[in-house]
Amino acid sequence: EPGRGATFVVELPLAVPAEPLANGLPEAPLRTEAPPSPRVLVAEDTPVNQLVVMKILGRLGWEAELAANGELALDALERARHDVVFMDVQMPSMDGLEATRQIRQAPERYGRPWIIALTAHALESDRRQCLEAGMNDFLTKPVRLADMEAALARVPTGVVPPAAARPRDDADRVA
């Protein structure tokens, strides 16, 4: 009703100490910073496709690092943890299938990112080949915003922090 205000209910899952604290304050400061932003890597060799994928990710509120082939993708994964990798299947130097196999064979070196195939080949045999190599999901080119958004929504919660998995409020206003 206008002019009467609003009532909000907030539930916080907090642990109750076994014994009351002497001064009523927690022993350690509470963590107030936001969860870490998800780290996304785009492994794509074609400049136009790089631009399209990066633009769509930006529109969805995600920032990403770019690697132009499978070898550079492995280097990026070795340098820093990445939660999600958009992996082109056909690239020079090292293709996405071989890069994915190497990632899956050495998780202590490259981590365990959620890998989404990017390919112009849409046959079921292509999809199966990507999944057998260790990819988790499959998108066909040309990539569309709705498809990338759906693929990111399929990333398991444990891979990407839940608060970070949501797009920015202004995502629909980004040109």
Side-chain angles (χ1 to χ4, degrees), residues 59-107:
R59 182 158 182 171
L60 293 173
W62 294 67
E63 293 182 15
E65 182 178 348
L66 193 58
N69 61 50
E71 287 180 350
L72 294 174
L74 293 179
D75 290 346
L77 289 168
E78 199 167 12
R79 277 192 321 274
R81 171 197 59 83
H82 288 77
D83 303 297
V84 178
V85 177
F86 285 92
M87 183 76 75
D88 184 14
V89 173
Q90 294 183 323
M91 294 182 284
S93 179
M94 180 187 294
D95 68 28
L97 296 172
E98 180 57 30
T100 298
R101 285 186 200 99
Q102 289 193 29
I103 293 165
R104 296 306 185 218
Q105 289 170 0

Side-chain angles (χ1 to χ4, degrees), residues 8-14:
F8 298 92
V9 176
V10 177
E11 293 183 23
L12 300 173
L14 301 174

Side-chain angles (χ1 to χ4, degrees), residues 30-38 81 161-164 166:
L30 295 174
R31 183 174 175 200
T32 57
E33 68 268 10
S37 296
R81 171 197 59 83
R166 294 187 206 112

